[in-house]
Amino acid sequence: LSVALSGTVLSRCPACARNFANLYCSNTCSPDQSLFTNVTRVANRTSAQGTPQLAVLEYQTFYQQDYAD
């Protein structure tokens, strides 16, 4: 959903939309997240099945300069 909305906003710049989608997917799906992500804020929540869980509310990401460029 977030990527689709950004695509609409960034539609005038296909390269920007692709770069944003790549960054978003890397942040959410990378098997190496622990190497560049630091969770800074969590909250307790209860799943629909009643199981207690932690939800990430805030995080920091760290990228090498060449990746950011």
Side-chain angles (χ1 to χ4, degrees), residues 39-69:
V39 175
T40 58
R41 189 169 156 214
V42 296
N44 292 314
R45 69 175 294 270
T46 304
S47 72
Q49 294 77 25
T51 307
Q53 298 177 327
L54 289 176
V56 174
L57 300 178
E58 190 174 282
Y59 64 93
Q60 297 172 314
T61 55
F62 303 93
Y63 299 109
Q64 292 182 350
Q65 188 63 46
D66 61 333
Y67 182 81
D69 290 343

Side-chain angles (χ1 to χ4, degrees), residues 4-68:
L5 290 173
S6 68
T8 302
V9 172
L10 299 171
S11 63
R12 290 180 282 173
C13 178
C16 295
R18 262 191 320 275
N19 288 340
F20 181 82
N22 183 34
L23 184 62
Y24 178 82
C25 291
S26 182
N27 280 341
T28 57
C29 302
S30 173
D32 298 320
Q33 282 178 334
S34 65
L35 300 176
F36 60 85
T37 302
N38 179 39
V39 175
T40 58
R41 189 169 156 214
V42 296
N44 292 314
R45 69 175 294 270
T46 304
S47 72
Q49 294 77 25
T51 307
Q53 298 177 327
L54 289 176
V56 174
L57 300 178
E58 190 174 282
Y59 64 93
Q60 297 172 314
T61 55
F62 303 93
Y63 299 109
Q64 292 182 350
Q65 188 63 46
D66 61 333
Y67 182 81

